[in-house]
Amino acid sequence: MEIQKLTKWFDTDGLPLIISGPCSAESEEQVLSTAKELSKYKEIKVFRSGIWKPRTRPNYFEGVGEPGLKWLKEVKEQYGFKTTVEVAKPHHVELCLDHDVDILWLGARTVVNPFSVQEITDVLRGVDIPVMVKNPVNPDLKLWLGAIERVNKVGINRIIAVHRGFYSLSKSLFRNPPMWEIPIELKRLVPGLPVISDPSHICGNRNMLYQISQKALDLEMDGLMIESHIDPISALTDSEQQITPYELGKIFDKLVIRRETTTNASHDKLQEMREKIDRLDEEMLQTLARRLEIVKEIGDFKKQKNLTILQIKRWSYVFEDRLEKGVELGIERDFLNKMLEILHDESIRIQTDIMNED
Ligand code: PEP
Ligand code: MN
Protein backbone atom coordinates (compact mmCIF):
# COMPACT_ATOMS: atom_id res chain seq x y z
CA MET A 1 0.00 0.00 0.00
CA GLU A 2 1.29 3.38 -1.03
CA ILE A 3 -0.33 5.38 1.74
CA GLN A 4 2.11 6.49 4.41
CA LYS A 5 2.26 8.18 7.80
CA LEU A 6 -1.43 8.77 8.28
CA THR A 7 -2.19 10.48 11.53
CA LYS A 8 -5.47 10.38 13.39
CA TRP A 9 -5.51 14.12 13.64
CA PHE A 10 -8.79 15.06 15.16
CA ASP A 11 -9.39 14.43 18.81
CA THR A 12 -13.01 13.82 19.64
CA ASP A 13 -12.31 11.67 22.69
CA GLY A 14 -13.44 8.52 20.94
CA LEU A 15 -16.67 10.13 19.76
CA PRO A 16 -17.61 10.45 16.09
CA LEU A 17 -16.43 13.56 14.27
CA ILE A 18 -19.54 15.53 13.34
CA ILE A 19 -19.50 17.99 10.45
CA SER A 20 -22.53 20.04 9.51
CA GLY A 21 -23.52 23.14 7.60
CA PRO A 22 -25.40 23.99 4.44
CA CYS A 23 -24.91 22.32 1.09
CA SER A 24 -24.08 25.79 -0.27
CA ALA A 25 -23.32 29.19 1.15
CA GLU A 26 -26.06 31.42 -0.29
CA SER A 27 -25.88 34.65 1.70
CA GLU A 28 -24.09 36.00 4.72
CA GLU A 29 -27.31 35.91 6.69
CA GLN A 30 -28.06 32.28 5.77
CA VAL A 31 -24.52 31.13 6.63
CA LEU A 32 -24.29 32.97 9.94
CA SER A 33 -27.79 32.11 11.14
CA THR A 34 -27.24 28.43 10.29
CA ALA A 35 -23.91 28.49 12.16
CA LYS A 36 -25.50 30.22 15.14
CA GLU A 37 -28.16 27.52 15.48
CA LEU A 38 -25.66 24.70 14.88
CA SER A 39 -23.38 26.11 17.59
CA LYS A 40 -26.01 25.03 20.14
CA TYR A 41 -24.96 21.41 19.58
CA LYS A 42 -21.58 20.67 21.11
CA GLU A 43 -21.30 17.50 19.02
CA ILE A 44 -20.59 19.55 15.89
CA LYS A 45 -16.92 20.40 15.48
CA VAL A 46 -16.68 21.42 11.82
CA PHE A 47 -18.83 23.74 9.72
CA ARG A 48 -19.13 22.76 6.06
CA SER A 49 -20.29 24.80 3.12
CA GLY A 50 -20.08 24.59 -0.64
CA ILE A 51 -18.68 27.81 -2.13
CA TRP A 52 -18.30 26.58 -5.71
CA LYS A 53 -20.95 24.02 -6.61
CA PRO A 54 -20.34 21.38 -9.25
CA ARG A 55 -23.72 21.13 -10.99
CA THR A 56 -24.78 18.33 -13.26
CA ARG A 57 -26.31 20.87 -15.68
CA PRO A 58 -25.42 24.51 -16.40
CA ASN A 59 -27.57 27.53 -15.52
CA TYR A 60 -28.26 26.39 -11.99
CA PHE A 61 -26.87 28.11 -8.91
CA GLU A 62 -23.13 27.53 -9.06
CA GLY A 63 -22.15 28.93 -5.68
CA VAL A 64 -21.35 32.41 -4.42
CA GLY A 65 -17.58 32.05 -4.84
CA GLU A 66 -14.99 34.12 -3.00
CA PRO A 67 -17.34 36.35 -0.92
CA GLY A 68 -18.60 33.19 0.79
CA LEU A 69 -15.13 32.53 2.15
CA LYS A 70 -15.36 35.76 4.16
CA TRP A 71 -18.62 34.58 5.73
CA LEU A 72 -16.90 31.32 6.72
CA LYS A 73 -14.17 33.27 8.42
CA GLU A 74 -16.84 34.97 10.49
CA VAL A 75 -18.29 31.58 11.35
CA LYS A 76 -14.90 30.58 12.72
CA GLU A 77 -14.48 33.77 14.68
CA GLN A 78 -17.97 33.97 16.09
CA TYR A 79 -18.73 30.32 16.81
CA GLY A 80 -15.36 28.57 17.07
CA PHE A 81 -16.06 25.97 14.41
CA LYS A 82 -13.37 24.66 12.12
CA THR A 83 -14.46 25.20 8.52
CA THR A 84 -14.36 23.02 5.44
CA VAL A 85 -14.96 23.77 1.77
CA GLU A 86 -15.03 21.73 -1.43
CA VAL A 87 -12.19 22.51 -3.83
CA ALA A 88 -12.45 21.48 -7.46
CA LYS A 89 -9.66 23.54 -9.03
CA PRO A 90 -6.17 24.70 -8.01
CA HIS A 91 -7.48 28.27 -7.82
CA HIS A 92 -10.09 27.20 -5.23
CA VAL A 93 -7.29 25.83 -3.06
CA GLU A 94 -5.40 29.11 -3.25
CA LEU A 95 -8.46 31.14 -2.27
CA CYS A 96 -9.28 28.79 0.62
CA LEU A 97 -5.74 29.06 1.95
CA ASP A 98 -5.88 32.85 1.68
CA HIS A 99 -9.09 32.87 3.72
CA ASP A 100 -7.97 30.46 6.46
CA VAL A 101 -10.29 27.58 5.64
CA ASP A 102 -9.24 24.76 8.00
CA ILE A 103 -9.99 21.65 5.97
CA LEU A 104 -10.39 21.12 2.24
CA TRP A 105 -12.49 18.45 0.59
CA LEU A 106 -12.52 16.85 -2.83
CA GLY A 107 -16.04 16.17 -4.11
CA ALA A 108 -17.39 13.00 -5.71
CA ARG A 109 -17.33 14.54 -9.20
CA THR A 110 -13.70 15.56 -8.85
CA VAL A 111 -12.52 12.23 -7.47
CA VAL A 112 -13.74 10.41 -10.62
CA ASN A 113 -11.06 12.24 -12.57
CA PRO A 114 -7.41 11.54 -11.70
CA PHE A 115 -6.30 14.56 -13.81
CA SER A 116 -8.36 16.92 -11.67
CA VAL A 117 -7.20 15.29 -8.46
CA GLN A 118 -3.59 15.58 -9.58
CA GLU A 119 -3.96 19.27 -10.52
CA ILE A 120 -5.38 20.05 -7.10
CA THR A 121 -2.86 18.00 -5.17
CA ASP A 122 0.01 19.62 -7.10
CA VAL A 123 -0.79 22.96 -5.49
CA LEU A 124 -1.04 21.28 -2.09
CA ARG A 125 2.57 20.11 -2.09
CA GLY A 126 4.23 21.45 1.04
CA VAL A 127 0.96 22.82 2.45
CA ASP A 128 0.03 21.46 5.85
CA ILE A 129 -3.75 21.26 5.70
CA PRO A 130 -6.14 18.35 6.31
CA VAL A 131 -7.96 17.06 3.24
CA MET A 132 -11.13 15.01 3.01
CA VAL A 133 -11.64 12.80 -0.03
CA LYS A 134 -15.19 11.84 -0.96
CA ASN A 135 -15.79 8.59 -2.74
CA PRO A 136 -16.10 8.91 -6.52
CA VAL A 137 -19.62 8.94 -7.98
CA ASN A 138 -19.19 5.41 -9.34
CA PRO A 139 -18.57 2.40 -7.08
CA ASP A 140 -14.88 2.07 -7.83
CA LEU A 141 -12.75 1.53 -4.74
CA LYS A 142 -9.49 1.86 -6.68
CA LEU A 143 -10.42 5.31 -7.94
CA TRP A 144 -11.17 6.39 -4.37
CA LEU A 145 -7.92 4.90 -3.11
CA GLY A 146 -6.02 6.47 -5.99
CA ALA A 147 -7.25 9.95 -5.04
CA ILE A 148 -6.29 9.34 -1.39
CA GLU A 149 -2.84 8.19 -2.54
CA ARG A 150 -2.39 11.30 -4.68
CA VAL A 151 -3.25 13.52 -1.72
CA ASN A 152 -0.92 11.57 0.56
CA LYS A 153 1.89 11.63 -1.99
CA VAL A 154 2.29 15.39 -1.81
CA GLY A 155 2.95 15.09 1.90
CA ILE A 156 -0.51 15.35 3.42
CA ASN A 157 -0.99 12.96 6.34
CA ARG A 158 -4.18 14.36 7.76
CA ILE A 159 -6.75 12.72 5.50
CA ILE A 160 -10.34 11.64 6.00
CA ALA A 161 -12.25 9.55 3.50
CA VAL A 162 -15.90 10.56 3.16
CA HIS A 163 -18.40 7.90 2.18
CA ARG A 164 -21.30 9.57 0.33
CA GLY A 165 -22.77 6.56 -1.49
CA PHE A 166 -22.51 5.54 -5.13
CA TYR A 167 -24.42 6.04 -8.33
CA SER A 168 -26.43 2.97 -9.23
CA LEU A 169 -28.44 2.07 -12.31
CA SER A 170 -30.98 0.11 -10.32
CA LYS A 171 -33.93 1.84 -8.76
CA SER A 172 -33.23 2.56 -5.12
CA LEU A 173 -34.70 4.23 -2.06
CA PHE A 174 -31.43 6.13 -1.85
CA ARG A 175 -30.09 8.94 -3.97
CA ASN A 176 -26.70 7.19 -3.80
CA PRO A 177 -26.93 3.65 -2.39
CA PRO A 178 -24.39 3.23 0.42
CA MET A 179 -22.79 -0.08 -0.69
CA TRP A 180 -21.27 -0.38 2.78
CA GLU A 181 -18.87 -3.11 1.70
CA ILE A 182 -16.81 -0.48 -0.18
CA PRO A 183 -15.97 1.85 2.76
CA ILE A 184 -15.49 -1.22 4.97
CA GLU A 185 -12.98 -2.64 2.49
CA LEU A 186 -11.26 0.77 2.36
CA LYS A 187 -10.89 0.69 6.15
CA ARG A 188 -9.42 -2.79 5.93
CA LEU A 189 -6.96 -1.80 3.20
CA VAL A 190 -5.83 1.43 4.85
CA PRO A 191 -5.68 0.89 8.60
CA GLY A 192 -5.56 4.19 10.46
CA LEU A 193 -7.49 6.09 7.79
CA PRO A 194 -10.56 7.72 9.34
CA VAL A 195 -13.68 7.16 7.23
CA ILE A 196 -16.82 9.21 7.88
CA SER A 197 -20.23 8.91 6.24
CA ASP A 198 -22.30 11.58 4.54
CA PRO A 199 -25.88 10.40 5.09
CA SER A 200 -27.27 13.51 3.33
CA HIS A 201 -25.90 12.57 -0.09
CA ILE A 202 -26.55 8.87 0.48
CA CYS A 203 -30.24 9.45 1.31
CA GLY A 204 -31.16 12.42 -0.84
CA ASN A 205 -34.12 12.91 1.48
CA ARG A 206 -34.73 13.92 5.07
CA ASN A 207 -36.54 10.90 6.42
CA MET A 208 -33.80 8.28 6.24
CA LEU A 209 -31.01 10.41 7.72
CA TYR A 210 -31.29 9.02 11.23
CA GLN A 211 -31.36 5.41 10.09
CA ILE A 212 -28.29 5.79 7.86
CA SER A 213 -26.41 7.80 10.48
CA GLN A 214 -27.00 5.09 13.06
CA LYS A 215 -25.98 2.39 10.64
CA ALA A 216 -22.75 4.27 9.82
CA LEU A 217 -21.86 4.52 13.50
CA ASP A 218 -22.70 0.87 14.10
CA LEU A 219 -20.33 -0.04 11.28
CA GLU A 220 -17.57 1.91 13.03
CA MET A 221 -17.46 4.85 10.68
CA ASP A 222 -15.49 7.60 12.40
CA GLY A 223 -17.98 10.39 11.96
CA LEU A 224 -20.83 11.97 10.03
CA MET A 225 -21.22 14.89 7.65
CA ILE A 226 -24.86 16.00 7.56
CA GLU A 227 -26.15 19.01 5.64
CA SER A 228 -28.11 21.56 7.60
CA HIS A 229 -29.77 24.77 6.40
CA ILE A 230 -31.65 27.41 8.35
CA ASP A 231 -34.54 27.12 5.87
CA PRO A 232 -34.16 23.88 3.87
CA ILE A 233 -37.24 24.39 1.70
CA SER A 234 -35.77 27.52 0.15
CA ALA A 235 -32.22 26.09 -0.22
CA LEU A 236 -30.72 26.71 -3.65
CA THR A 237 -29.08 23.25 -3.77
CA ASP A 238 -30.03 19.87 -2.33
CA SER A 239 -33.20 21.28 -0.83
CA GLU A 240 -34.87 17.86 -0.32
CA GLN A 241 -32.11 16.44 1.85
CA GLN A 242 -31.22 19.36 4.10
CA ILE A 243 -32.60 19.68 7.62
CA THR A 244 -32.77 22.53 10.09
CA PRO A 245 -30.24 22.65 12.94
CA TYR A 246 -33.13 21.82 15.29
CA GLU A 247 -33.99 18.67 13.32
CA LEU A 248 -30.32 17.70 13.38
CA GLY A 249 -30.38 18.07 17.17
CA LYS A 250 -33.31 15.61 17.25
CA ILE A 251 -31.19 13.12 15.31
CA PHE A 252 -28.35 13.56 17.83
CA ASP A 253 -30.82 12.83 20.65
CA LYS A 254 -31.75 9.50 19.06
CA LEU A 255 -28.31 8.34 17.91
CA VAL A 256 -26.77 5.64 20.04
CA ILE A 257 -23.01 5.80 20.09
CA ARG A 258 -21.69 2.36 20.79
CA ARG A 259 -18.07 2.82 21.57
CA GLU A 260 -15.78 0.03 20.51
CA THR A 261 -14.76 -0.12 24.15
CA THR A 262 -15.62 2.21 26.95
CA THR A 263 -12.64 2.32 29.28
CA ASN A 264 -9.06 1.15 29.35
CA ALA A 265 -9.94 -1.57 31.84
CA SER A 266 -12.69 -2.98 29.65
CA HIS A 267 -10.39 -2.69 26.66
CA ASP A 268 -7.77 -4.86 28.42
CA LYS A 269 -10.40 -7.39 29.45
CA LEU A 270 -11.76 -7.63 25.92
CA GLN A 271 -8.25 -7.96 24.56
CA GLU A 272 -7.52 -10.78 26.98
CA MET A 273 -10.68 -12.67 25.97
CA ARG A 274 -9.93 -12.17 22.29
CA GLU A 275 -6.46 -13.60 22.75
CA LYS A 276 -8.01 -16.70 24.35
CA ILE A 277 -10.31 -17.05 21.35
CA ASP A 278 -7.34 -16.69 19.00
CA ARG A 279 -5.46 -19.47 20.80
CA LEU A 280 -8.47 -21.77 20.84
CA ASP A 281 -9.14 -21.18 17.15
CA GLU A 282 -5.53 -22.00 16.44
CA GLU A 283 -5.85 -25.30 18.33
CA MET A 284 -9.18 -26.03 16.66
CA LEU A 285 -7.71 -25.52 13.19
CA GLN A 286 -4.71 -27.70 13.98
CA THR A 287 -7.01 -30.45 15.24
CA LEU A 288 -9.24 -30.10 12.19
CA ALA A 289 -6.25 -30.34 9.86
CA ARG A 290 -5.05 -33.49 11.66
CA ARG A 291 -8.52 -35.01 11.44
CA LEU A 292 -8.69 -34.35 7.69
CA GLU A 293 -5.25 -35.88 7.28
CA ILE A 294 -6.49 -39.10 8.86
CA VAL A 295 -9.63 -39.00 6.71
CA LYS A 296 -7.27 -39.06 3.71
CA GLU A 297 -5.32 -42.01 5.11
CA ILE A 298 -8.56 -43.91 5.63
CA GLY A 299 -9.53 -43.01 2.05
CA ASP A 300 -6.28 -44.49 0.72
CA PHE A 301 -6.80 -47.58 2.81
CA LYS A 302 -10.39 -48.05 1.61
CA LYS A 303 -9.24 -47.69 -1.98
CA GLN A 304 -6.53 -50.34 -1.55
CA LYS A 305 -8.93 -52.74 0.12
CA ASN A 306 -11.82 -51.97 -2.21
CA LEU A 307 -14.10 -50.80 0.58
CA THR A 308 -17.05 -48.38 0.13
CA ILE A 309 -16.60 -44.76 1.12
CA LEU A 310 -19.80 -44.39 3.06
CA GLN A 311 -20.14 -46.88 5.83
CA ILE A 312 -23.47 -46.04 7.36
CA LYS A 313 -23.04 -48.02 10.55
CA ARG A 314 -19.79 -46.30 11.44
CA TRP A 315 -21.16 -42.86 10.58
CA SER A 316 -24.31 -43.40 12.66
CA TYR A 317 -22.12 -44.34 15.60
CA VAL A 318 -19.86 -41.29 15.18
CA PHE A 319 -22.84 -38.98 14.77
CA GLU A 320 -24.72 -40.20 17.85
CA ASP A 321 -21.61 -40.41 19.99
CA ARG A 322 -20.37 -36.86 19.19
CA LEU A 323 -23.86 -35.43 19.53
CA GLU A 324 -24.26 -36.91 22.97
CA LYS A 325 -20.79 -35.80 24.13
CA GLY A 326 -21.26 -32.33 22.69
CA VAL A 327 -24.63 -31.84 24.37
CA GLU A 328 -23.08 -32.94 27.64
CA LEU A 329 -20.47 -30.19 27.18
CA GLY A 330 -23.22 -27.62 26.82
CA ILE A 331 -23.19 -27.21 23.02
CA GLU A 332 -26.51 -26.68 21.26
CA ARG A 333 -27.86 -29.82 19.55
CA ASP A 334 -28.80 -27.94 16.36
CA PHE A 335 -25.35 -26.46 16.02
CA LEU A 336 -23.75 -29.88 16.58
CA ASN A 337 -26.01 -31.41 13.95
CA LYS A 338 -24.93 -28.85 11.37
CA MET A 339 -21.27 -29.07 12.28
CA LEU A 340 -21.18 -32.89 12.11
CA GLU A 341 -22.96 -32.84 8.76
CA ILE A 342 -20.37 -30.43 7.37
CA LEU A 343 -17.50 -32.53 8.69
CA HIS A 344 -18.99 -35.67 7.21
CA ASP A 345 -19.65 -34.04 3.82
CA GLU A 346 -16.04 -32.92 3.66
CA SER A 347 -14.78 -36.43 4.54
CA ILE A 348 -16.89 -37.92 1.78
CA ARG A 349 -15.68 -35.33 -0.70
CA ILE A 350 -12.03 -36.05 0.15
CA GLN A 351 -12.48 -39.81 -0.04
CA THR A 352 -14.43 -39.60 -3.30
CA ASP A 353 -11.56 -37.62 -4.83
CA ILE A 354 -9.13 -40.28 -3.68
CA MET A 355 -11.26 -43.08 -5.14
CA ASN A 356 -11.41 -41.26 -8.49
CA GLU A 357 -7.68 -40.65 -8.74
CA ASP A 358 -5.97 -43.06 -11.10
C1 PEP B 1 -21.75 18.31 -1.26
O1 PEP B 1 -21.18 17.83 -0.26
O2 PEP B 1 -22.54 19.24 -1.23
C2 PEP B 1 -21.49 17.65 -2.57
C3 PEP B 1 -21.58 18.29 -3.72
O3 PEP B 1 -21.24 16.36 -2.40
P1 PEP B 1 -20.77 15.21 -3.42
O4 PEP B 1 -19.46 15.64 -3.98
O5 PEP B 1 -20.67 14.05 -2.49
O6 PEP B 1 -21.86 15.04 -4.43
MN1 MN C 1 -25.05 18.89 -1.22
Side-chain angles (χ1 to χ4, degrees), residues 46-305:
V46 181
F47 186 86
R48 62 148 282 154
S49 178
I51 294 290
W52 302 276
K53 297 306 293 180
R55 304 311 300 268
T56 305
R57 300 183 59 199
N59 304 327
Y60 287 83
F61 175 70
E62 290 187 331
V64 291
E66 195 173 345
L69 294 171
K70 299 197 175 71
W71 310 334
L72 288 183
K73 207 159 170 184
E74 278 193 51
V75 166
K76 263 169 83 139
E77 281 159 12
Q78 289 195 29
Y79 302 106
F81 288 121
K82 299 248 177 257
T83 55
T84 183
V85 167
E86 173 174 357
V87 289
K89 292 181 184 179
H91 185 53
H92 296 164
V93 175
E94 283 151 16
L95 288 172
C96 284
L97 296 176
D98 286 349
H99 289 84
D100 294 332
V101 170
D102 296 293
I103 304 167
L104 305 176
W105 97 72
L106 304 184
R109 288 162 196 75
T110 303
V111 174
V112 286
N113 184 350
F115 287 125
S116 305
V117 174
Q118 193 57 52
E119 269 176 17
I120 297 168
T121 52
D122 281 344
V123 295
L124 282 171
R125 195 176 298 277
V127 180
D128 186 22
I129 190 166
V131 177
M132 303 197 286
V133 182
K134 285 201 164 194
N135 67 252
V137 174
N138 46 325
D140 184 341
L141 176 58
K142 289 211 179 107
L143 206 48
W144 196 5
L145 251 179
I148 294 167
E149 284 168 349
R150 283 178 205 277
V151 171
N152 184 237
K153 242 178 139 164
V154 296
I156 289 177
N157 302 321
R158 293 181 293 168
I159 304 179
I160 292 183
V162 183
H163 161 235
R164 50 77 81 194
F166 302 88
Y167 179 77
S168 160
L169 285 174
S170 0
K171 205 170 146 37
S172 164
L173 289 173
F174 300 104
R175 176 175 175 195
N176 294 293
M179 303 185 189
W180 295 103
E181 64 285 3
I182 298 180
I184 288 170
E185 179 63 1
L186 178 67
K187 268 179 160 291
R188 192 185 69 78
L189 290 175
V190 193
L193 172 71
V195 182
I196 69 171
S197 278
D198 170 348
S200 301
H201 291 87
I202 292 175
C203 296
N205 63 47
R206 287 183 257 280
N207 52 31
M208 290 192 299
L209 288 174
Y210 160 69
Q211 178 203 330
I212 289 297
S213 302
Q214 185 67 61
K215 173 121 190 187
L217 297 184
D218 292 345
L219 292 175
E220 294 191 356
M221 296 297 143
D222 302 280
L224 300 169
M225 160 134 87
I226 303 180
E227 287 181 343
S228 177
H229 190 291
I230 196 73
D231 180 16
I233 313 284
S234 62
L236 299 178
T237 56
D238 287 350
S239 165
E240 322 77 66
Q241 73 197 28
Q242 298 202 64
I243 52 176
T244 61
Y246 176 78
E247 287 163 329
L248 183 59
K250 291 278 152 222
I251 291 183
F252 292 154
D253 288 346
K254 278 205 286 180
L255 281 179
V256 180
I257 297 168
R258 302 180 179 93
R259 288 178 184 234
E260 212 181 330
T261 50
T262 42
T263 60
N264 275 348
S266 65
H267 182 265
D268 291 350
K269 179 78 194 150
L270 188 61
Q271 195 56 29
E272 200 184 296
M273 291 189 290
R274 284 182 172 158
E275 279 164 17
K276 272 189 201 156
I277 289 273
D278 291 348
R279 278 197 297 276
L280 288 170
D281 283 353
E282 179 70 36
E283 280 171 32
M284 197 168 69
L285 290 171
Q286 303 263 6
T287 308
L288 184 62
R290 283 207 301 278
R291 188 184 196 281
L292 294 174
E293 223 15 76
I294 301 201
V295 165
K296 273 187 211 140
E297 282 175 30
I298 296 180
D300 287 333
F301 186 80
K302 284 180 181 166
K303 186 174 181 178
Q304 266 177 33
K305 304 282 172 202

